[in-house]
Amino acid sequence: MITAGMPRKPGQTRDFLFDTNAPIVARVACMVAKRAPKALVGIITNPVNAVVAVAAEAMKKAGCYDPKRLFGVTTLDVVRAEKFIGEHMNIHPYDVRIPVVGGHAGTTIVPIFSQCQPPFEGDEKCIASIVKRIQTGGDEVVKAKAGKGSATLSMAYAAARFTNALMRGLKGKACAPECAYVQSDATDAPFFSTPLSFGKDGIKKNHGLPEMNESEKKQVKVAVDALKKSAAKGVEYMKK
Ligand SMILES: NC(=O)c1ccc[n+]([C@@H]2O[C@H](COP(=O)([O-])OP(=O)(O)OC[C@H]3O[C@@H](n4cnc5c(N)ncnc54)[C@H](O)[C@@H]3O)[C@@H](O)[C@H]2O)c1
Ligand SMILES: O=C(O)C[C@H](O)C(=O)O
């Protein structure tokens, strides 16, 4: 799990961190390629949408890139979705399951409310306001911490949840699918987060895009356009 790199400050976007964090992720990915080429690698460092492509290119150069073993960690978006939906429906977040697809920044974060379990109770206006809160959850924490970093405890929880799912896969144990930002042909974007099942070699099955309503399809299209640019930025950086 790679967390090395700078967190953002109030008013900064995650993308603002690219120039500082891309070289750090590239260097750590090279070290992983050298010392643990078969590792399952989770990238937590921001901007996840672009630095996962940096790590992929670094590993390709080192001759050990395996798309089944590289993950951008987007679990915190799922955790936020479950928490805010749980609050709204007055149920425990553990009892909420919802796929959150796309990437990990602003409108690239697409919670698929039509697939929420139990079915979401609320109108379009209510969905829009919870979607906004999920998409800006990181900004909310960065603002509250006032220059002293970004989400740490909730990220620790999310990282533990995602790592446990990977480790259950390594042991051949069943686990509910978890979303992560991986190389994908689910859309035109080279990397895209969808629900995944894990096994001994990393991704065992990419469940692809869930069924979506028209509004969700539109949100995915917006995400895909942005994610193509983010991935291209990471690839371009590694050409230099
Ligand atoms: N994916 C997510 O959902 C998510 C959630 C929270 C934080 N983040 C990101 O995780 C990253 C770390 O956040 P944090 O709050 O732990 O920050 P932090 O400042 O508390 O910790 C960053 C760590 O990186 C290390 N570091 C800095 N430069 C390095 C380098 N050149 N080589 C090796 N290590 C280096 C520092 O020594 C420090 O220990 C940030 O980029 C942040 O945006 C992502
Ligand atoms: O928002 C950030 O900068 C950190 C992280 O990506 C988050 O979503 O909390």
Side-chain angles (χ1 to χ4, degrees):
M1 288 292 145
I2 300 179
T3 61
M6 295 303 291
R8 61 183 168 140
K9 295 200 161 39
Q12 293 176 342
T13 61
R14 293 179 183 84
D15 192 54
F16 182 89
L17 301 170
F18 183 84
D19 290 346
T20 308
N21 288 350
I24 296 174
V25 170
R27 218 169 54 241
V28 178
C30 286
M31 287 183 218
V32 172
K34 218 171 178 176
R35 304 285 177 204
K38 292 282 184 195
L40 304 183
V41 181
I43 311 267
I44 292 171
T45 308
N46 272 314
V48 169
N49 291 358
V51 295
V52 169
V54 169
E57 293 303 305
M59 288 173 153
K60 277 182 203 165
K61 276 191 187 175
C64 76
Y65 175 55
D66 180 349
K68 287 188 160 45
R69 294 172 186 269
L70 178 65
F71 309 89
V73 181
T74 59
T75 321
L76 186 49
D77 302 314
V78 179
V79 168
R80 286 179 178 141
E82 292 171 354
K83 166 80 178 154
F84 302 149
I85 291 168
E87 268 173 11
H88 171 79
M89 291 183 36
N90 207 16
I91 52 178
H92 198 283
Y94 285 174
D95 295 326
V96 180
R97 295 297 292 186
I98 178 168
V100 180
V101 305
H104 178 64
T107 51
T108 70
I109 301 167
V110 186
I112 308 297
F113 272 68
S114 63
Q115 299 305 315
C116 182
Q117 283 302 330
F120 183 76
E121 287 163 13
D123 60 12
E124 285 306 315
K125 208 172 148 203
C126 173
I127 291 177
S129 96
I130 300 179
V131 166
K132 184 91 188 152
R133 181 130 194 248
I134 296 163
Q135 290 177 337
T136 57
D139 306 66
E140 208 179 299
V141 178
V142 166
K143 199 172 162 205
K145 288 187 123 176
K148 295 205 174 84
S150 56
T152 45
L153 283 179
S154 54
M155 185 59 236
Y157 170 76
R161 170 170 159 170
F162 184 68
T163 309
N164 279 335
L166 286 181
M167 292 197 303
R168 285 185 72 83
L170 283 174
K171 288 185 175 168
K173 290 186 178 168
C175 188
E178 290 287 351
C179 293
Y181 183 68
V182 298
Q183 185 177 315
S184 166
D185 54 14
T187 69
D188 288 346
F191 295 90
F192 200 85
S193 184
T194 45
L196 309 168
S197 294
F198 307 113
K200 291 191 169 62
D201 299 313
I203 299 174
K204 189 163 147 199
K205 182 169 179 191
N206 186 331
H207 298 271
L209 277 169
E211 268 186 46
M212 297 181 289
N213 62 29
E214 287 312 310
S215 157
E216 290 159 353
K217 283 181 191 164
K218 278 189 200 146
Q219 292 172 58
V220 163
K221 192 179 173 320
V222 170
V224 167
D225 290 345
L227 291 172
K228 282 194 233 163
K229 289 184 192 135
S230 299
K233 186 170 177 175
V235 172
E236 201 49 42
Y237 170 80
M238 287 305 291
K239 281 189 187 148
K240 285 181 200 153

